[in-house]
Amino acid sequence: MSKTQRTAEEILREETGEIRSTGRFEKGLIGVIAIAWAIFQLSLASFLILDGTTIRAVHLAFAIAILFLSVPMFKRPKKWMGFFSAVHKIPFIDYIFAAAGAFAAVYIILDQEGLAIRAGDPSTTDVVVGFLTIFFLLEATRRAIGPALVIIVLVFTGYSFFGPYMPDFMAFKGVSMNKYLNQISLSSEGIYGIPLGVSASIVYLYVLLGAMLDKAGAGKFFIDLALSLLGRFKGGPAKAAVVASGFTGLISGSSVANIVTTGTFTIPLMKKVGYPATKAAATEVAASTDGQLMPPVMGAAAFIIAEYVNVPYIDVCKAAIIPAFVSYFALFYVTHLEASKLGMKGLPKDECPKFFETVKRGLHFLIPIFVLIFELVVMRHSPERAAFNAILLLIGIIFVREIVNFVKGEQKSFLDIFIKSIKLVGQGFIAGSRNMVSVALATAAAGIIVGIVGMGIGGMITQIVETLSQGNVFVLLIITAIASMLLGMGLPTTATYIVMASLTAPIIVELGATYGLIVPLMAAHLFCFYFGILADDTPPVGLASYAAAALAGSDPIPTGIQGFLYDMRTAIIPFMFIFNHDLILDNIYSWPLAILIFTMACLGAFAFTSVIQKWFITKNRIWEIPLLLVASLLLFNPSGIHDMLGYHIDDKYIMYIPGLLLLALVYAGQKFRVRKAVA
């Protein structure tokens, strides 16, 4: 079955490692392991105290075990090797792989003192198990997310061994097998490095919270809430899709999961009011992809960014908040422009959910989210504690909701209440663990690349990139953006970010400083992160496009192209905050000033979006395009033009005024044309 023939649910099942449709025993076994993983992670967040290496090793062991039991070696039947693509049972070899892979993952903690003593001179057993750890991890990663990341790891590995034989400008001194294994699989510098550590200590809890909210019905509530607010307006279902996907993005780390959650409802409604299938799917793709920009989860990368940049997690959320909301407001504006161009209306009033009834029915879903944000922003609790408390509260809400149903006569007995509540919590635990498998494996495999870079290759890559960019920071940014999107076509967002952050984020900062451009490290890391996200809808591989196209009945390639055009307003934002650090609130501590920057950035994004869509309040004329582009630049970066001209202005914010005047000029001209046409 080709990608164009798969359903969105099948694509999501592949992403979450739910390929096999096995018998009761096999499902029970996987479920028990998944629930045990959830209990282990919740114990770490509450009372269990273990060292970092132990936590990472056990975390990886759970992921490897679940993956080998859930996903066959080949996802499509092979003529002579059907045994390796079995989907209705678990072959004996996969039981062996699951057990051996889990053992190899925890080997590092079985003899920690011995490994420390033998550092640099591993025993034969260390070498064998170290090699097996890498093998099982890469095979699990290949099954979970495809061959792209595995190929990249193998290329870097080959480079580390064959560097001395490369051309002069690429030559590297090389490493021995013992040094390689010691760095990658027998220490905390490679597989068990920072990315896996963040996955094990923080990311799991947020993914679990999102999965439990989804199982409890929060996804449907977000959609109904958005429709109740926006369904009756012009292009209402598309606007509702943007808002619902934004809400879902608060708790989801996957664009495909976001599409399947919201797109199942919003895409048919968009088509109903007149959206072509391709544009309906592309709108959902753009909305769900951008869900990964939304704090607090940010596609599971927010916590890794905090570790790499060495700042509190809340600072990452602060830096990401304006770009994320500007991107979403601009997409909301895209849906309005498309509706205007197509002459569409909203849904009839009787087909839209009633707002107050919707809020009353699902208000309890918002409580854990509000508590999470309150603890993070106001109480300044650690991300782990905030997520743990939100999960405990959600479990309590699930039980209380069933008790209320009993009072209403919808449940027969307290035993039914208890059984249903436990079952729902268990389903959330299982879904959370399944959703985490690909994240854990991706961070562990990407850790191999980070470990190799740490052996000295990083300096060589810096020289290569500097040579390619010829010292031009703008060219460097374009190279980084293209590389991030190319990598992201075959990798999860988190893995793409880790690879690009370890390779190019320091280079952006260093080369920028060399040539007179001060780039905050946070801006460089967010730049890599943004373009990794954009790869989710970039043809020909963008998995999000295939999922949305399956729901809309459209061709995935045109869907991906249209989605990428919608996302052009997101692509411009990283370039803007590299040159205008106000957008990430760097050294901005005034609320009024932050609101001003946000408002002007939104207007700048609207102006740029109008150029891409060729429409403002009517079709743009050629002479209006440069006016909109200059207005966009001034509103996004008020110091941009005079910086290019080489002079300084004392109060750069005064440059917002000509930007607003240019925008008003285009608006007035188009308004006059519309009135003249009507008259």
Side-chain angles (χ1 to χ4, degrees):
M1 186 182 292
S2 69
K3 284 184 177 180
T4 55
Q5 295 172 311
R6 285 184 290 165
T7 66
E9 288 77 9
E10 287 174 325
I11 294 172
L12 179 62
R13 287 181 66 186
E14 286 193 13
E15 189 181 64
T16 57
E18 202 173 351
I19 305 296
R20 285 188 169 124
S21 178
T22 51
R24 182 175 298 179
F25 170 77
E26 290 92 341
K27 285 183 178 178
L29 176 63
I30 296 171
V32 167
I33 296 173
I35 291 172
W37 191 7
I39 293 173
F40 170 74
Q41 297 288 163
L42 291 172
S43 299
L44 290 173
S46 53
F47 65 88
L48 187 60
I49 300 175
L50 297 172
D51 65 271
T53 303
T54 300
I55 293 171
R56 298 170 190 185
V58 174
H59 182 78
L60 180 58
F62 273 118
I64 288 176
I66 292 175
L67 187 283
F68 281 127
L69 295 176
S70 302
V71 182
M73 188 176 295
F74 302 109
K75 295 175 183 177
R76 301 288 175 265
K78 301 295 181 182
K79 186 174 181 180
W80 304 109
M81 293 184 292
F83 178 77
F84 294 109
S85 55
V87 294
H88 299 298
K89 64 178 181 179
I90 302 175
F92 183 67
I93 190 171
D94 279 347
Y95 282 112
I96 295 175
F97 273 31
F103 171 78
V106 299
Y107 177 79
I108 192 173
I109 64 176
L110 298 180
D111 185 20
Q112 284 183 282
E113 290 186 7
L115 285 171
I117 294 171
R118 298 190 298 273
D121 186 24
S123 67
T124 302
T125 303
D126 295 340
V127 170
V128 171
V129 177
F131 175 79
L132 289 176
T133 302
I134 296 171
F135 168 77
F136 285 124
L137 172 60
L138 293 183
E139 170 58 13
T141 302
R142 184 194 66 81
R143 295 192 191 190
I145 60 177
L149 182 55
V150 176
I151 291 171
I152 294 169
V153 169
L154 293 177
V155 168
F156 271 82
T157 297
Y159 185 49
S160 68
F161 287 115
F162 297 104
Y165 309 103
M166 294 290 179
D168 287 344
F169 76 100
M170 294 178 62
F172 171 67
K173 63 182 180 180
V175 298
S176 66
M177 178 62 74
N178 282 355
K179 182 178 179 180
Y180 174 83
L181 290 175
N182 189 73
Q183 176 88 351
I184 300 304
S185 59
L186 299 174
S187 73
S188 59
E189 300 298 322
I191 292 172
Y192 303 99
I194 289 175
L196 183 61
V198 176
S199 173
S201 60
I202 303 175
V203 175
Y204 184 98
L205 296 174
Y206 283 81
V207 172
L208 178 62
L209 176 62
M212 293 183 66
L213 279 167
D214 181 55
K215 289 296 180 182
K220 181 65 166 59
F221 165 68
F222 290 149
I223 296 164
D224 288 344
L225 183 63
L227 285 171
S228 70
L229 289 169
L230 302 165
R232 286 175 290 168
F233 293 97
K234 181 191 297 184
K239 294 172 180 175
V242 174
V243 173
S245 294
F247 274 123
T248 304
L250 290 172
I251 56 173
S252 173
S254 165
S255 56
V256 174
N258 199 329
I259 286 170
V260 174
T261 301
T262 59
T264 303
F265 299 95
T266 58
I267 288 176
L269 290 175
M270 281 188 267
K271 293 172 68 176
K272 182 177 180 178
V273 298
Y275 266 85
T278 297
K279 290 190 174 183
T283 300
E284 183 60 49
V285 167
S288 296
T289 300
D290 279 11
Q292 294 181 86
L293 301 178
M294 294 295 290
V297 178
M298 293 173 61
F303 316 102
I304 302 175
I305 294 174
E307 289 292 326
Y308 275 164
V309 183
N310 195 26
V311 297
Y313 160 75
I314 194 67
D315 286 0
V316 179
C317 293
K318 174 187 172 184
I321 194 72
I322 285 183
F325 275 99
V326 168
S327 179
Y328 257 103
F329 275 50
L331 180 58
F332 194 88
Y333 183 61
V334 167
T335 64
H336 180 78
L337 294 181
E338 287 286 14
S340 299
K341 288 192 289 184
L342 297 170
M344 290 185 295
K345 298 180 179 180
L347 291 171
K349 183 177 179 180
D350 59 346
E351 293 186 20
C352 295
K354 292 181 172 56
F355 175 72
F356 289 107
E357 289 183 7
T358 301
V359 172
K360 182 180 177 182
R361 186 176 69 249
L363 183 62
H364 55 281
F365 292 126
L366 297 176
I367 297 174
I369 297 175
F370 286 146
V371 168
L372 177 70
I373 295 173
F374 177 79
E375 290 205 25
L376 288 172
V377 177
V378 179
M379 302 299 292
R380 296 297 181 101
H381 288 163
S382 68
E384 302 97 306
R385 179 178 175 183
F388 176 75
N389 289 341
I391 291 169
L392 283 187
L393 180 60
L394 179 58
I395 292 173
I397 288 172
I398 290 172
F399 276 89
V400 170
R401 185 179 65 174
E402 295 307 318
I403 292 173
V404 171
N405 290 338
F406 172 76
V407 173
K408 292 180 179 179
E410 298 178 14
Q411 297 286 359
K412 295 180 180 179
S413 67
F414 275 103
L415 181 60
D416 291 334
I417 293 172
F418 183 77
I419 292 174
K420 185 174 181 181
S421 300
I422 290 294
K423 186 176 180 180
L424 194 58
V425 171
Q427 288 173 347
F429 282 4
I430 293 171
S433 293
R434 283 191 176 276
N435 292 346
M436 266 304 298
V437 168
S438 61
V439 178
L441 295 174
T443 52
I448 297 178
I449 298 174
V450 176
I452 293 173
V453 171
M455 289 191 287
I457 291 180
M460 185 59 60
I461 293 173
T462 301
Q463 293 179 28
I464 294 172
V465 173
E466 186 173 6
T467 301
L468 291 173
S469 65
Q470 293 295 303
N472 188 309
V473 177
F474 194 75
V475 173
L476 170 64
L477 293 175
I478 292 175
I479 292 172
T480 302
I482 293 173
S484 295
M485 286 193 290
L486 289 174
L487 279 175
M489 288 183 189
L491 304 185
T493 302
T494 308
T496 305
Y497 161 70
I498 293 169
V499 173
M500 294 308 301
S502 61
L503 295 179
T504 59
I507 301 174
I508 293 173
V509 175
E510 292 169 13
L511 285 187
T514 301
Y515 295 98
L517 176 65
I518 304 301
V519 180
L521 188 57
M522 178 70 75
H525 280 261
L526 286 175
F527 185 91
C528 298
F529 173 61
Y530 264 61
F531 281 100
I533 284 176
L534 289 175
D536 262 5
D537 63 0
T538 304
V541 183
L543 200 59
S545 301
Y546 285 93
L551 290 172
S554 61
D555 190 315
I557 300 300
T559 297
I561 293 172
Q562 185 66 60
F564 185 76
L565 289 175
Y566 288 161
D567 268 338
M568 285 294 289
R569 96 268 170 227
T570 301
I572 197 67
I573 293 173
F575 285 95
M576 292 297 105
F577 63 59
I578 286 288
F579 294 99
N580 178 19
H581 312 151
D582 290 353
L583 293 174
I584 60 171
L585 297 178
D586 185 52
N587 292 321
I588 301 294
Y589 305 104
S590 164
W591 276 99
L593 181 55
I595 293 171
L596 174 67
I597 292 166
F598 169 68
T599 304
M600 294 299 106
C602 283
L603 293 175
F606 293 169
F608 182 79
T609 299
S610 295
V611 173
I612 300 298
Q613 293 297 115
K614 304 175 184 178
W615 193 279
F616 192 28
I617 60 173
T618 188
K619 188 174 182 179
N620 297 333
R621 290 185 174 173
I622 293 177
W623 62 269
E624 292 171 330
I625 292 175
L627 296 181
L628 287 170
L629 287 174
V630 173
S632 177
L633 176 60
L634 289 171
L635 294 170
F636 260 129
N637 183 11
S639 64
I641 290 180
H642 65 71
D643 282 349
M644 287 188 289
L645 296 176
Y647 67 89
H648 178 72
I649 187 170
D650 290 333
D651 186 4
K652 65 179 179 180
Y653 299 113
I654 200 171
M655 297 302 293
Y656 283 141
I657 295 175
L660 291 172
L661 290 175
L662 288 173
L663 201 60
L665 177 64
V666 176
Y667 177 85
Q670 293 200 3
K671 192 72 173 178
F672 175 77
R673 293 207 305 272
V674 170
R675 287 179 178 175
K676 186 177 180 181
V678 172

